[in-house]
Amino acid sequence: MTPGGLLFRLAGAANPLRTTDDWRGPAGRNADIAARGFLMAQGLGEDGLRLADIGLNANKLASYSMINVWRTLILFRQDAALGPPGGVRGGAQLLTDALAGATSGLRLGNAVSAIETTASHVEVTLADRSRVRAPHAICTLPFSVLRRIPVAGTPLAQRAAIDAMPYTQIAHVYFEPASRYWETDGLPPDTWTDGPLERVFAVRDRETGQPNGLLLAWLNGDGAAWIRGKSDSAIAEVIARELPKARPAAQGPVRVVRTVRWTDENPLAGGAYMHYAPGQVAAWSDSLSAPAGRLHFAGEHLSRLATGMEGALESADAAIATILSLRPGKMP
Ligand SMILES: Cc1cc2nc3c(=O)[nH]c(=O)nc-3n(C[C@H](O)[C@H](O)[C@H](O)COP(=O)(O)OP(=O)(O)OC[C@H]3O[C@@H](n4cnc5c(N)ncnc54)[C@H](O)[C@@H]3O)c2cc1C
């Protein structure tokens, strides 16, 4: 088992949730404990906790509620009942590109810099200082972005969540090593480390499934902090120094091809996706999706039944239904 599988394996045997909506009710309140405490109660010591923390797809075990894990496991079970997972040929972004292509009037490359709600409309100011006014608006900015944007007018009931909702910090560093060292040291190309490179995965050819020579260092949570402010060449130096500690055959310079930062360094993201810290679900669940007058909210952070991309769609559906109910016959 990889270190990342441990938490899910142990949690699977103890899931107090039964349905996709249970996490918001009484069962969820019992489930709202830190993942670190849960693993300690299962007998994991400090060494095991440190490895599980590196494999965690969140910031850290201590601030990660088990609600996130148990909720995901319910969704995995639901998905498994539908058959093997599918994929979007050519990459999942083609799906959102197709949605965007079916929409007219999109204004891209012009970030929202301020929002104002009034009794009659919502006005959004863009980076080029132009303004857009509408009777209602749906704000789908992640809270990690919205917390940096002034919202004037009606007070936001979910202000505490906007300011404090944790977003998983992820950095992806794609790099080319000096050699295909996994072909000479007899080990698999993927490496789980307890060093700053955390996890190193081979990028595989879509058709053949074989490693194409590029590697991806996947840094999560606190482990993504060291690349803050670093250039690709500075990151390459760290990789060239650290990788041989885990894989002695990986000698020589590396070339960083691309770094993607879903971190607080990136003002359009602030993080990759949200999760709840212990105590937040009960404190926030009533106010999380509440409209502020004519300003409505959607996005994966407001999902109820699903998470991720499906969660984003689910929450948008709910926001649109609310606006339609306020404006019967006014919208297509
Ligand atoms: C590495 C990674 C792996 C993932 N894996 C999965 C997976 O396997 N399955 C899954 O379901 N989900 C996955 N997700 C999560 C999924 O991408 C999100 O849940 C989903 O994109 C959320 O949709 P959203 O519309 O709520 O927010 P986003 O997709 O984050 O959209 C927010 C948009 O707002 C834009 N924006 C930011 N600031 C401004 C501004 N000031 N003005 C205007 N626009 C702005 C951003 O550019 C972005 O386009 C993954 C995410 C990452 C980063």
Side-chain angles (χ1 to χ4, degrees):
M1 198 193 314
T2 57
L6 184 63
L7 175 61
F8 276 74
R9 175 74 68 88
L10 293 170
N15 197 342
L17 310 182
R18 292 287 168 267
T19 71
T20 46
D21 204 24
D22 265 357
W23 64 282
R24 289 161 52 96
R29 279 194 280 285
N30 295 332
D32 197 8
I33 54 174
R36 183 179 164 85
F38 171 79
L39 287 175
M40 286 170 78
Q42 306 294 310
L44 223 67
E46 282 303 326
D47 283 352
L49 289 166
R50 207 159 55 82
L51 290 181
D53 233 331
I54 289 173
L56 181 72
N57 283 323
N59 290 337
K60 54 180 167 219
L61 290 167
S63 59
Y64 189 60
S65 171
M66 285 301 292
I67 277 194
N68 303 292
V69 181
W70 280 321
R71 196 182 162 201
T72 303
L73 285 169
I74 294 286
L75 291 168
F76 282 177
R77 199 178 63 197
Q78 195 181 53
D79 285 351
L82 297 172
V88 180
R89 187 168 292 143
Q93 187 167 339
L94 293 184
L95 178 67
T96 45
D97 286 351
L99 289 170
T103 311
S104 59
L106 287 180
R107 294 177 64 180
L108 301 176
N110 199 0
V112 170
S113 59
I115 303 172
E116 184 178 5
T117 61
T118 72
S120 59
H121 62 264
V122 179
E123 187 168 272
V124 170
T125 306
L126 303 174
D128 67 1
R129 296 180 184 273
S130 64
R131 292 174 183 202
V132 180
R133 184 181 278 204
H136 291 269
I138 304 177
C139 172
T140 66
L141 296 174
F143 281 176
S144 47
V145 171
L146 185 57
R147 70 183 56 142
R148 306 174 194 215
I149 293 177
V151 183
T154 316
L156 307 184
Q158 58 281 77
R159 175 45 73 191
I162 292 170
D163 290 341
M165 182 174 271
Y167 274 75
T168 298
Q169 303 291 297
I170 297 183
H172 282 177
V173 183
Y174 290 89
F175 67 96
E176 195 174 32
S179 69
R180 291 176 165 244
Y181 56 83
W182 54 92
E183 290 177 356
T184 54
D185 70 5
L187 294 169
D190 296 344
T191 312
W192 291 64
T193 84
D194 59 356
L197 304 187
E198 299 215 317
R199 296 175 288 173
V200 179
F201 299 124
V203 180
R204 293 175 183 274
D205 182 272
R206 283 208 179 102
E207 299 300 323
T208 65
Q210 293 303 310
N212 69 5
L214 278 188
L215 296 172
L216 161 62
W218 184 308
L219 315 175
N220 260 349
D222 291 354
W226 69 264
I227 72 154
R228 171 177 268 279
K230 278 200 166 45
S231 66
D232 282 356
S233 56
I235 294 171
E237 278 174 29
V238 176
I239 297 174
R241 190 180 67 228
E242 293 295 329
L243 192 56
K245 292 183 185 169
R247 302 291 292 261
Q251 299 294 335
V254 308
R255 184 173 72 90
V256 169
V257 177
R258 182 147 187 235
T259 304
V260 187
R261 299 167 201 251
W262 285 287
T263 61
D264 55 14
E265 253 187 305
N266 177 348
L268 296 178
Y273 33 72
M274 58 76 65
H275 58 264
Y276 289 106
Q280 292 180 338
V281 170
W284 294 343
S285 64
D286 287 344
S287 59
L288 218 50
S289 306
R294 292 169 173 271
L295 179 64
H296 303 256
F297 297 94
E300 57 110 17
H301 46 295
L302 303 178
S303 64
R304 184 169 173 155
L305 301 178
T307 57
M309 289 167 58
E310 288 99 332
L313 295 171
E314 173 207 336
S315 71
D317 236 15
I320 290 165
T322 303
I323 295 178
L324 288 177
S325 72
L326 296 170
R327 293 170 57 81
K330 286 276 176 62
M331 294 175 84

